[in-house]
Amino acid sequence: MKRLLSVFLTAALLLGLAACGGGGSETTEAPSQTSASPVETSSALPETTPASSETEAETAGAASHILIAYFTMPEDVDTEGVDAVAGASIVVRDGEVMGNVEYMASVIQETVGGDLFRIETVESYPLDHEPLVDQAAEEQDADARPQLASHIEDLDQYDTIFLGYPNWWGDMPQALYTFLEEYDLSGKTIIPFCPHGGSGFSRTESTIAQLQPGADVSENGLAISRNDVADSHDQVAQWAAGLGL
C-alpha cells in the first residue's frame, strides 16, 4: 500500500511540473504581444491627423471671410532682364510675370489674408496692346457681357470682397459687369482697387454701387497708376492693413 501511495505521489508531482511547463509557454507569447503594441500605437497615429487638419481648416476659415476677386490681363511684352515694364500691364518678380491687378491682389492677400479668385472669361483676350484695347472698346460699344469661365462656389462665407480691375476706356472691363450681375453681394462690403493709365477709378465705384445696391461699396478703395504698380508693394500693403479687417 505504501509503495502504491509513493507511486501515486510521484505521478502527481510529475503532472504538476508539466502544468508549470505549460504556463511557461503562455509567458513566452507575452513579448510578442508587447512588441505588437508599437504597431498599434502607429496605427493609432492617423487618428490625430484629422484634429491637425481641422485646426488648419479653422485657421484658413478664419481668413476666408475675405475674398479678393480680380480681373487681370497681362500684356505680352519682352520681360527678359527686367523687373518691371512701365506702361505695360505687367509686373515681373523673381521671374514670374503677373498682371498689374494680379500683383496688387497678391499683396492684399499677403497683408490681410483671404481667398484669391480670378475672374476669367470663356473667350480669351489678345495679349498685344493694340488689339486688346480695340477689343475692350468694341465690347463697351456693344455693352457686351462676356461669358465667365470661373465661378465662386460658396459666396455666403465672405463678408468682405476686394474687387480689382483695370481701367479700360474710363470704365470697368465688361467682364466685371457680367460678374456683378451674376452674384448678389447684398450685405457685403466691396472694396475696389484699380491700376489705371491716368484716370483713376473714373467713377466706377458708383457703377459698382448701382449694380449692387444692397452692398456697402467702400470709399477707401485704392487706384494706382499702372506705371507705379511695380513699386507699389508698400503702398498696397499699408492701404490694406489700414482698412482694419
Side-chain angles (χ1 to χ4, degrees), residues 94-170:
D94 299 324
E96 181 181 2
V97 180
M98 293 181 285
N100 279 347
V101 189
E102 179 183 13
Y103 175 70
M104 293 176 68
S106 70
V107 177
I108 293 170
Q109 184 190 45
E110 173 189 313
T111 305
V112 300
D115 297 333
L116 290 171
F117 174 77
R118 181 168 177 171
I119 300 170
E120 298 180 277
T121 57
V122 172
E123 181 182 350
S124 299
Y125 284 86
L127 298 181
D128 292 331
H129 180 75
E130 293 301 329
L132 176 61
V133 297
D134 287 346
Q135 181 168 331
E138 291 170 3
E139 288 185 348
Q140 285 187 11
D141 291 342
D143 196 23
R145 295 295 186 269
Q147 183 180 353
L148 300 185
S150 55
H151 304 275
I152 302 171
E153 293 184 0
D154 182 10
L155 186 62
D156 291 340
Q157 66 179 305
Y158 304 110
D159 54 39
T160 300
I161 299 178
F162 287 87
L163 187 60
Y165 51 89
N167 183 327
W168 281 0
W169 297 105

Side-chain angles (χ1 to χ4, degrees), residues 7-233:
V7 170
F8 176 78
L9 290 174
T10 300
L13 180 61
L14 291 174
L15 287 172
L17 290 173
C20 291
S25 298
E26 291 176 4
T27 304
T28 58
E29 292 176 5
S32 297
Q33 294 172 357
T34 303
S35 64
S37 60
V39 177
E40 294 170 3
T41 302
S42 176
S43 65
L45 286 176
E47 295 179 4
T48 64
T49 303
S52 175
S53 298
E54 183 178 346
T55 302
E56 293 174 1
E58 289 174 355
T59 302
S64 67
H65 72 282
I66 297 174
L67 177 68
I68 308 164
Y70 66 95
F71 177 86
T72 195
M73 192 52 56
E75 295 177 19
D76 185 15
V77 297
D78 184 7
T79 62
E80 185 176 357
V82 298
D83 289 330
V85 180
S89 301
I90 65 168
V91 175
V92 184
R93 282 290 181 267
D94 299 324
E96 181 181 2
V97 180
M98 293 181 285
N100 279 347
V101 189
E102 179 183 13
Y103 175 70
M104 293 176 68
S106 70
V107 177
I108 293 170
Q109 184 190 45
E110 173 189 313
T111 305
V112 300
D115 297 333
L116 290 171
F117 174 77
R118 181 168 177 171
I119 300 170
E120 298 180 277
T121 57
V122 172
E123 181 182 350
S124 299
Y125 284 86
L127 298 181
D128 292 331
H129 180 75
E130 293 301 329
L132 176 61
V133 297
D134 287 346
Q135 181 168 331
E138 291 170 3
E139 288 185 348
Q140 285 187 11
D141 291 342
D143 196 23
R145 295 295 186 269
Q147 183 180 353
L148 300 185
S150 55
H151 304 275
I152 302 171
E153 293 184 0
D154 182 10
L155 186 62
D156 291 340
Q157 66 179 305
Y158 304 110
D159 54 39
T160 300
I161 299 178
F162 287 87
L163 187 60
Y165 51 89
N167 183 327
W168 281 0
W169 297 105
D171 201 350
M172 298 182 296
Q174 294 302 122
L176 265 293
Y177 283 85
T178 308
F179 176 83
L180 290 168
E181 291 172 359
E182 178 173 335
Y183 300 101
D184 181 4
L185 305 182
S186 296
K188 304 182 188 299
T189 298
I190 303 175
I191 307 173
F193 62 99
C194 171
H196 61 88
S199 301
F201 277 118
S202 295
R203 298 185 59 80
T204 52
E205 316 101 299
S206 299
T207 303
I208 295 171
Q210 292 171 6
L211 293 170
Q212 292 290 336
D216 177 19
V217 181
S218 174
E219 297 180 353
N220 297 318
L222 180 64
I224 298 180
S225 169
R226 66 183 184 183
N227 295 331
D228 298 330
V229 171
D231 298 317
S232 68
H233 180 281

